[in-house]
Amino acid sequence: MSAPTQPHGIGTCTRCGLCQQACPTYRDWRLEADSPRGRVQIIERIASGERPDAVMAEHLYACLGCRACETACPSGVPYGDLLEYGRHEVERAGMLAPERSGWRAFRDFAFQRVLPSRAMFSLMMTPAKVLRRLPTLARLLRSLPLSGGAQRALSMASVDTPAGRGRLSAFSPAVGERRARVAVFTGCVMDALFGGVNEALVRVLRASGCDVAVPPGQWCCGALNVHAGERQHAVEMARSNIEVFERADVEAIIVDSAGCGAHMKSYGRLFGNEPAFAERSAAFAAKSVDATEYLAKIGVAITRRPSARRVTYQDACHLAHGQKISQAPRALLRAMPGVEFVELRDSDRCCGAAGVYSLTHPKMSQHVLDEKVAKIAETGADTVAVTNPGCYLQLAPELAARGIRVRHVVELIDEATSLVPRDGLELALAAPRASGLCR
Ligand code: SF4
Ligand code: SF4
């Protein structure tokens, strides 16, 4: 397994502590080692040559990876990169607490066998597809005395997600005047459980004047792997995607999963040891754009009233903190006729999904989720708009019991737009055609 180059942020933390209150684990546990500053110190010790032990590993894995500390930090410490580096070194050293042996087995299976393979991933998604059709079975299983992680997995697997109707066409032409040629990144979880969102994205892009390619051969971006310290397969998945999208020859690669987008935009850091691939990974990263960022930039014809009435918005950590995008989704939601947009208190705080965190640390995940659900209930919204599949799966079961729906922002935009020629439609948002994204 190749070692990552030492991340550039080592040594930039000034120990000011301004990140502490942004951190969910520090707010709850009040332990320095479970704060961003404490974790940065652990990572710096590893970078200086100290062999990570099980206690250091535990503190690094107790982190949600939400990157709220990165937004709070005045010194620009790239916490996300440092965490990936630290976890990778922990994995290389094989140092985990004995009670985490189950995690080791899960990790090896999920990150080395399942996520790199479309066939294996589809097979593993079968129980989720069955449970969605058999809610009585799901309820029965949930009544069993299962561990917190298993309960959480079951709860997420039972969510009735907007599945698609089938494979997307490799090419769909723009409706009306052609303004750009783009590609859609379909992902793994998005492809398996949220195909309806990917289909909605293609419709909205076409209605906005884009020729849309969905290149065959693309697959999982590798974000879950790299966040868990598994780099070998993550690098291979990134390499494969870069090659696939190079052949597609598009101006932009549109992604509707915030976690995938944040990772794709930083593919370059995976190839620090491969100068020959650095330029290609940088070109891929530069073309990668979040769906809301792209649509707000090119202008989308929002003319119809969607099914939601009172909508609030939950910032995905990897959109707000990882990509610094918070205004674009709000602008799109505010532009919808007949929709009352209400702000959510502390909307940029993590919902507790955090990749596989809700499975590995169910207690903290549930605590964070309970806080989030209470704040959503305060808004009186009938709908919570999200931009990440993890947030959707985490929030939906809790909110369904309160009669609140979770929808992807792209689903709502799709309901509010019309697949007819652009001419004659009123543009709800300005369309800066000189943006370089859509000419
Ligand atoms: S990423 Fe989130 S959980 Fe981890 S240290 Fe930063 S604020 Fe805390
Ligand atoms: S990570 Fe940033 S905010 Fe936190 S202690 Fe270090 S310099 Fe200060």
Side-chain angles (χ1 to χ4, degrees):
M1 192 186 298
S2 66
T5 50
Q6 208 176 63
H8 67 279
I10 289 288
T12 53
C13 174
T14 62
R15 314 283 190 253
C16 68
L18 291 172
C19 53
Q20 306 291 73
Q21 285 308 318
C23 176
T25 55
Y26 182 75
R27 281 198 304 271
D28 196 42
W29 297 334
R30 295 283 155 188
L31 291 172
E32 176 67 16
D34 284 312
S35 76
R37 182 174 62 188
R39 291 186 178 118
V40 167
Q41 282 182 271
I42 291 172
I43 294 162
E44 287 181 349
R45 281 165 55 198
I46 294 171
S48 69
E50 189 173 332
R51 183 178 161 81
D53 60 24
V55 175
M56 292 155 90
E58 201 60 16
H59 291 304
L60 294 188
Y61 276 103
C63 168
L64 287 94
C66 68
R67 296 171 66 178
C69 48
E70 224 175 276
T71 298
C73 175
S75 304
V77 173
Y79 181 84
D81 291 356
L82 295 183
L83 181 67
E84 282 174 15
Y85 165 80
R87 285 181 174 173
H88 178 71
E89 291 303 309
V90 163
E91 294 299 332
R92 273 166 33 102
M95 273 298 165
L96 284 179
E99 62 270 24
R100 292 275 175 219
S101 58
W103 159 248
R104 166 76 66 189
F106 170 81
R107 176 189 178 281
D108 290 351
F109 182 62
F111 299 129
Q112 295 175 22
R113 302 286 302 281
V114 179
L115 281 164
S117 159
R118 181 187 284 275
M120 274 296 281
F121 188 83
S122 299
L123 189 64
M124 297 309 292
M125 286 293 112
T126 307
K129 289 173 183 168
V130 170
L131 285 176
R132 286 191 314 195
R133 290 197 179 87
L134 299 172
T136 313
L137 175 63
R139 272 197 298 279
L140 184 71
L141 291 172
R142 276 204 297 273
S143 69
L144 298 175
L146 301 170
S147 68
Q151 283 284 0
R152 174 57 56 191
L154 202 50
S155 167
M156 290 165 82
S158 314
V159 174
D160 188 14
T161 53
R165 274 172 278 179
R167 281 250 160 270
L168 288 166
S169 301
F171 176 77
S172 302
V175 175
E177 183 196 350
R178 178 183 173 280
R179 302 166 68 203
R181 177 178 158 83
V182 303
V184 164
F185 180 81
T186 51
C188 56
V189 174
M190 289 301 294
D191 184 56
L193 300 180
F194 294 88
V197 176
N198 284 339
E199 288 170 4
L201 177 58
V202 170
R203 278 193 296 273
V204 170
L205 288 167
R206 292 181 64 204
S208 302
C210 298
D211 280 350
V212 183
V214 181
Q218 60 169 305
W219 182 232
C220 174
C221 66
L224 287 173
N225 285 55
V226 86
H227 293 161
E230 198 293 311
R231 292 181 72 98
Q232 186 180 355
H233 292 83
V235 167
E236 292 316 311
M237 286 188 264
R239 192 191 308 280
S240 168
N241 282 324
I242 290 167
E243 287 167 351
V244 163
F245 281 91
E246 277 176 349
R247 289 194 291 274
D249 188 24
V250 292
E251 293 154 59
I253 301 165
I254 318 295
V255 52
D256 52 17
S257 160
C260 304
H263 182 53
M264 288 158 63
K265 285 180 177 181
S266 53
Y267 261 8
R269 76 198 187 292
L270 295 175
F271 297 97
N273 295 333
E274 282 186 64
F277 220 74
E279 203 175 309
R280 294 168 71 183
S281 58
F284 178 96
K287 284 184 180 179
S288 298
V289 197
D290 179 74
T292 62
E293 177 186 15
Y294 189 73
L295 291 168
K297 215 163 207 173
I298 65 167
V300 54
I302 291 176
T303 55
R304 299 194 302 185
R305 185 180 183 146
S307 56
R309 291 289 171 267
R310 189 173 165 93
V311 177
T312 193
Y313 174 69
Q314 159 64 14
D315 284 286
C317 297
H318 283 88
L319 200 62
H321 304 303
Q323 300 180 57
K324 310 298 179 211
I325 296 170
S326 57
Q327 290 314 308
R330 285 176 169 79
L332 291 160
L333 293 168
R334 285 183 199 279
M336 291 178 187
V339 167
E340 183 188 358
F341 179 78
V342 277
E343 271 297 348
L344 171 63
R345 195 156 57 92
D346 296 327
S347 65
D348 65 348
R349 284 189 181 178
C350 184
C351 66
V356 295
Y357 192 88
S358 62
L359 310 181
T360 58
H361 295 75
K363 205 168 159 196
M364 173 52 83
S365 171
Q366 185 66 45
H367 172 69
V368 172
L369 175 61
D370 289 344
E371 285 185 349
K372 180 63 66 182
V373 167
K375 286 172 185 164
I376 290 171
E378 276 173 15
T379 66
D382 56 59
T383 302
V384 181
V386 298
T387 54
N388 196 54
C391 310
Y392 195 118
L393 295 173
Q394 173 87 339
L395 291 169
E398 302 280 332
L399 293 177
R402 295 168 182 259
I404 303 171
R405 287 190 77 187
V406 181
R407 308 290 307 280
H408 195 292
V409 173
V410 167
E411 286 182 278
L412 295 173
I413 298 170
D414 183 43
E415 285 182 5
T417 56
S418 179
L419 199 58
V420 296
R422 294 176 58 81
D423 292 347
L425 288 180
E426 176 194 348
L427 274 181
L429 289 160
R433 290 182 178 218
S435 66
L437 284 170
C438 197
R439 286 181 275 268

